[in-house]
Amino acid sequence: LPSKNAGALDAYTIAVGLFAVAALGAHGTLYLRWKTSGKIAERATALARRFMIATAVLDVVVAIASAMVNPDALHAFASRPLAWLFALVAVLGIVLAVCALSQGRDLAPFLGSCLFLAGTLLAGAAALSPMLLRSTIDPALSLDAAQAASGAHGLRVGLFWFAPGITLAIAYVVWAFRWMRGKVDANAYH
């Protein structure tokens, strides 16, 4: 069982790692299902269902274990409406993914997975902010956002480059999705 003295490799970190593998495995197989047809899509669908079940189970396990390892995070989560909103987005995302998958839809399960991942990450960030890395040895050794921030010059340079950088990233994603739109037919490449 997890304790307040979590380490680099213990039951808690293994559970979180397995949750990440399951959630990203579900996301990847739902993307593969959306972008392919035939036997590949069928296998991706079967695998996505397994990953989604594992994700749901491990999500509950990790939530309980997180409350045991860091009870302060649970109290912070309960008092922050934004964390609740993001958690609701995560729940709605997984519900959308499961329902749309059972209806045989293609894009909606992947979008539900996107919402689940974004909601999960943002709920955790909203609950833990401004703490970035909590020390289990001594609270004085914990790292928060103010301590991790770069100097004033570095922050100004980063802000200056953020606008063109994010613009390029968004443009690339739009281009890639337009260029690779439609389904890939596995039989066309034999």
Side-chain angles (χ1 to χ4, degrees):
L1 291 174
S3 70
K4 290 188 179 201
N5 296 318
L9 189 61
D10 58 17
Y12 178 71
T13 55
I14 290 170
V16 171
L18 290 173
F19 169 74
V21 167
L24 294 175
H27 189 66
T29 54
L30 289 171
Y31 178 79
L32 189 60
R33 179 187 185 281
W34 169 42
K35 297 303 284 180
T36 61
S37 59
K39 289 187 180 205
I40 295 173
E42 290 170 14
R43 287 191 302 215
T45 300
L47 196 53
R49 285 190 174 109
R50 291 185 196 121
F51 274 128
M52 289 169 60
I53 291 167
T55 299
V57 170
L58 288 167
D59 194 11
V60 172
V61 169
V62 168
I64 293 168
S66 294
M68 293 170 66
V69 170
N70 187 3
D72 294 338
L74 183 61
H75 298 300
F77 179 85
S79 66
R80 296 184 179 171
L82 198 54
W84 281 98
L85 175 66
F86 290 136
L88 179 62
V89 167
V91 169
L92 292 175
I94 198 77
V95 167
L96 171 64
V98 169
C99 290
L101 188 61
S102 68
Q103 295 170 356
R105 296 169 60 194
D106 289 333
L107 176 59
F110 174 71
L111 294 177
S113 178
C114 291
L115 286 174
F116 172 73
L117 292 174
T120 299
L121 291 171
L122 291 170
L128 298 174
S129 180
M131 188 60 61
L132 300 177
L133 188 60
R134 186 181 68 87
S135 172
T136 58
I137 299 168
D138 180 5
L141 298 175
S142 295
L143 186 64
D144 65 18
Q147 293 168 324
S150 183
H153 175 71
L155 290 174
R156 279 194 300 277
V157 169
L159 183 60
F160 173 79
W161 282 105
F162 175 76
I166 196 69
T167 302
L168 282 173
I170 291 170
Y172 171 75
V173 168
V174 168
W175 172 82
F177 270 82
R178 287 181 155 269
W179 187 68
M180 295 185 285
R181 70 177 154 249
K183 290 187 175 280
V184 174
D185 183 10
N187 297 326
Y189 297 101
H190 286 257

